Amino acid sequence: MKSIKILLILIFSNIIFCLDAKAQTANDIAFNNSLNKALNSLDFIDLYKEYTSYTIIHPMMDLISQACFKSSFNRPEEAIEKIDTLYSKYPLDFSHPYFINLFMSLKLAQLEKMAKWDECLKTLKILEMNCKNNPYLYNKQKYQALADFNLPQSEIICKSKRNFIKMTKEKVPGIKECWTIPVKANKETGTFIFDTGAGVNTISEKFAKRNNVTIIADSILTETAVSPVYSKLGFIDKLEIGNIEYKNILVYIIDFSFLDKNLGYEIDGVLGTPFMDAIGYIEVLPKKRIIKFPASIKYDTKQNAIPNMMYIANEQLYAEAYIDSLRLLVTLDTGNVCEGYINSSFMIKNADYLNKYISETDTVKIGGIKGIDTLYYNKVNAPTTIHDVTVESINYRGLKDKNTMGRFDGLLGIEFFNKCKRVTFDFRNMILSVEK
């Protein structure tokens, strides 16, 4: 392919690639448009499907795509290598704040996953110099504290080949559908929510005090369901989950007393995606109330081996789903006591298609550490498909206002997963699968 001259044009905050028309085929143009769309929406699952159908791709486009895939599909070391290669090979093209904001943010997330705190601080300086409004900048205090403490990377030790844990049987008012499990710290066993919607591990202030958790930093701004809250950063050398030892754990210490005030119950903590990523494979049998941690998972068909989950470290877990034949990117949130949400922007954009599934309107109050919010929604009853498995009669909440549940099109909650016989979260291959 001939050498391609690349012009970067900023139009309505979107970057559009304009390649020399003589050097482009129709497929080149289509791929560049898809890449541009994916960069702005962070929809790398859809990009991956198109990318694999192209035999000739410009080297820079190839590197951009690879950097996105490795970051989203949980390959941190490879993601960092691709991002660094982009900046070394194409320094002028990637000096634009748009690219610095996007790729340095992706790199920062991978470095945090690998506990490379000094490198996090260096990357944060690049963002500070070029992108004043990047949301990662408020984490400077956190990264400095973790670098000073020299927090080691978390690790998993499996003490048995048959690793599983039974969920707790106790009834939790208002959140009885959640996956709650016993987690041992020192000599005390607490009740934790197994929450795919939590990008960090969290413990209550009371549990932290009872177990002499090491405090690393105070007054760290932390995102919650309704609004940000200030929390403490702590370190626990070991947690025990069944026959598994989870070591060197960074935890966010938060006041959970709002649950006691509103529900008469207070949890001890939340195991989030950092633990799930560290263990790698999780099989949940909701009806039997069992969570298994197998050594590996095999897939029978080629389609089911295609990544359909995205996980940018320390964020929520996302996946591809379909309402009938309509594609959505959804947050996977087993800590949310609903079947699912559809964000208002998606409802408006696809109103002609979704109206036939709307039954009535309603409201619901959602709780967070800093307060209660009211959501107005339409009830949407439609089948939902993950890969080739369809779950019938999902009772989605189609949001009517601009409140959003997650970054993309909507959310799948615990009531959806509890309808399934088996749910598999594969963090090694980034695949979500369900069985009815």
Side-chain angles (χ1 to χ4, degrees), residues 231-250:
S231 65
K232 298 176 182 178
L233 277 184
F235 170 76
I236 301 177
D237 58 356
K238 183 178 69 173
L239 290 175
E240 295 181 56
I241 300 100
N243 291 322
I244 292 169
E245 289 186 356
Y246 182 30
K247 304 187 72 174
N248 306 326
I249 309 128
L250 174 67

Side-chain angles (χ1 to χ4, degrees), residues 360-378:
E360 58 182 300
T361 62
D362 205 343
T363 63
V364 64
K365 292 187 181 295
I366 61 170
I369 293 170
K370 294 295 285 185
I372 302 294
D373 198 4
T374 300
L375 298 181
Y376 297 84
Y377 67 92
N378 293 308

Side-chain angles (χ1 to χ4, degrees), residues 163-258:
N163 289 303
F164 70 93
I165 191 166
K166 292 184 178 181
M167 300 183 200
T168 58
K169 295 181 179 180
E170 59 196 290
K171 300 295 183 181
V172 183
I175 56 171
K176 61 183 178 181
E177 304 90 347
C178 280
W179 296 342
T180 52
I181 60 173
V183 176
K184 186 176 180 181
N186 295 326
K187 295 182 180 181
E188 179 182 357
T189 298
T191 299
F192 281 56
I193 294 178
F194 197 82
D195 187 0
T196 59
V200 297
N201 298 314
T202 307
I203 60 173
S204 72
E205 288 185 342
K206 293 179 181 178
F207 192 80
K209 289 178 181 178
R210 292 197 302 266
N211 289 280
N212 300 316
V213 174
T214 301
I215 304 299
I216 299 174
D218 204 344
S219 300
I220 299 295
L221 193 63
T222 307
E223 294 292 335
T224 68
V226 174
S227 61
V229 64
Y230 284 96
S231 65
K232 298 176 182 178
L233 277 184
F235 170 76
I236 301 177
D237 58 356
K238 183 178 69 173
L239 290 175
E240 295 181 56
I241 300 100
N243 291 322
I244 292 169
E245 289 186 356
Y246 182 30
K247 304 187 72 174
N248 306 326
I249 309 128
L250 174 67
V251 291
Y252 288 71
I253 303 167
I254 294 179
D255 180 8
F256 282 138
S257 61
F258 76 96

